[in-house]
Amino acid sequence: MGTPTYGVRRAAGLRREELAALAGVSVDYVVRLEQGRARTPSAQVVAALGRALQLDRHEQDHLYRLAGLQPPGEALVGTHIPPGVQRLVSRMGDNPIAVFTAAWDLLTWSPTWAALFGEPAGRTAWQRNLVAQAFLADAAVGQVGRARYPDGGAGFRASLVADLRRTQGRHPHDPSLRALIERLQSGSPEFAQLWRSGAVGEHLSEQKTIDHPVVGAVEVDCDVFTVSGSELRIVTMTAATGTPAAEKLDFLRVSGVNSVA
C-alpha cells in the first residue's frame, strides 16, 4: 500500500498509525475516534477513513450514519425497481400488490391492485401518493376501493406520518419529499399536528377491510415488505384460500372491473 509498517504485526488489519497515514489524519485523532472523544468527524474525514479501510458502498454508508452524516448518493429518495422486484410483482399478480418508494409514491402495481383500488395509470403522481390519499380529499379522487378501520383510520394515518418522518431524516435535501411534506402540512391540520409530534416509526402490516362498489367488503391481510438493499416498499393484500374475501379478489382479477374508476 505504500505506507510504513510499525513493528511486528500480531493481528490482521491496519494499525492506528497506518490508518492515520492513509486517511491523512493524526494518530491522536484516530484514538479519539476509537474512544468516542471525537464525535463529529467531517464528511471529508469519513470519506478518507472509508477509502483507507477499503470499505464497500454499504459499509461506507454505515460509517457515514455512525458519524451522524448523510451517506453520499442518498440525497434523493430512490425510485429504481430492481429486476427481481419486477418479477415478483409479475408472478404475484393474482393478488393486489404494489411497489412504493420510501416517500410512499406508487411506482408499479398488479392488475388486481388496479381492480381493487382503481386504475392508477391515469392519475397524477400526487394522486398516487399513499400519504396524500390518506389526508387530502383531492388526492383520493378516482379511488374505487376504500379502506375501513375500527378506529376510523387514525392509527393508520399516524403510522404513515411516523414512517414519512423517518424517510425525511434519511433524505432531508430531497426537494420532492420536502414539497410533499409542505403541501400536506398546509392542506391537512391532522397531518400538521402529527408531524409536529415528532414521532418516528415504521409503517407495519395490518388487517383491513376494503369497501368496493362492486364486490362489497373485502377483508384482507395487508403486508408491507422492505426490499433488501433499497428503501422500496412492497405492499401485498391477501385473503385465506376458500374465504369470501378470496372469492371476491378472484372475481376482481378475472373480470377486470377497474373500469368503474
Side-chain angles (χ1 to χ4, degrees):
M1 293 164 101
T3 58
T5 58
Y6 298 83
V8 178
R9 191 178 303 276
R10 296 188 181 90
L14 293 172
R15 293 178 176 235
R16 293 189 187 98
E17 296 84 356
E18 295 167 344
L19 177 59
L22 287 169
V25 298
S26 69
V27 176
D28 177 66
Y29 188 69
V30 172
V31 172
R32 286 190 286 126
L33 283 172
E34 290 177 345
Q35 296 176 348
R37 293 187 288 121
R39 298 179 179 273
T40 56
S42 67
Q44 291 81 3
V45 168
V46 173
L49 290 171
R51 288 192 298 270
L53 294 168
Q54 298 184 1
L55 302 181
D56 63 27
R57 184 178 66 83
H58 297 295
E59 292 168 337
Q60 180 169 305
D61 287 353
H62 183 61
L63 184 62
Y64 272 86
R65 294 190 185 98
L66 288 176
L69 298 169
Q70 190 79 6
E74 284 196 354
L76 304 180
V77 175
T79 60
H80 172 68
I81 304 176
V85 174
Q86 294 174 338
R87 289 192 294 269
L88 178 65
V89 173
S90 176
R91 292 170 183 174
M92 292 186 63
D94 287 353
N95 293 304
I97 180 172
V99 180
F100 293 83
T101 69
W104 293 102
D105 293 314
L106 179 60
L107 295 177
T108 189
W109 56 90
S110 67
T112 313
W113 180 281
L116 185 61
F117 293 105
E119 177 56 61
R123 312 182 76 206
T124 66
W126 166 251
Q127 292 172 326
R128 291 200 297 266
N129 182 274
L130 184 63
V131 188
Q133 291 173 5
F135 285 94
L136 298 173
D138 64 331
V141 172
Q143 277 188 285
V144 177
R146 303 288 181 125
R148 173 163 43 94
Y149 306 87
D151 65 350
F156 169 75
R157 293 190 294 274
S159 175
L160 277 180
V161 174
D163 190 282
L164 190 65
R165 179 173 283 282
R166 186 178 66 150
T167 298
Q168 191 267 346
R170 293 179 176 177
H171 306 278
H173 304 299
D174 186 312
S176 296
L177 177 59
R178 185 164 54 247
L180 169 67
I181 294 168
E182 290 175 352
R183 188 169 180 178
L184 286 164
Q185 285 180 304
S186 63
S188 170
E190 182 186 8
F191 178 91
Q193 180 181 3
L194 289 169
W195 189 259
R196 286 194 299 270
S197 73
V200 178
E202 181 179 4
H203 185 53
L204 302 175
S205 306
E206 61 184 345
Q207 290 184 320
K208 62 179 66 179
T209 300
I210 310 298
D211 289 324
H212 193 278
V214 174
V215 298
V218 186
E219 296 181 355
V220 295
D221 291 318
C222 178
D223 293 294
V224 182
F225 305 96
T226 301
V227 179
S228 178
S230 80
E231 295 180 308
L232 294 180
R233 319 292 174 77
I234 300 177
V235 178
T236 65
M237 296 189 181
T238 58
T241 302
T243 61
E247 294 175 358
K248 292 175 181 179
L249 289 178
D250 283 341
F251 174 81
L252 291 175
R253 175 179 57 83
V254 173
S255 62
V257 297
N258 58 56
S259 58
V260 302

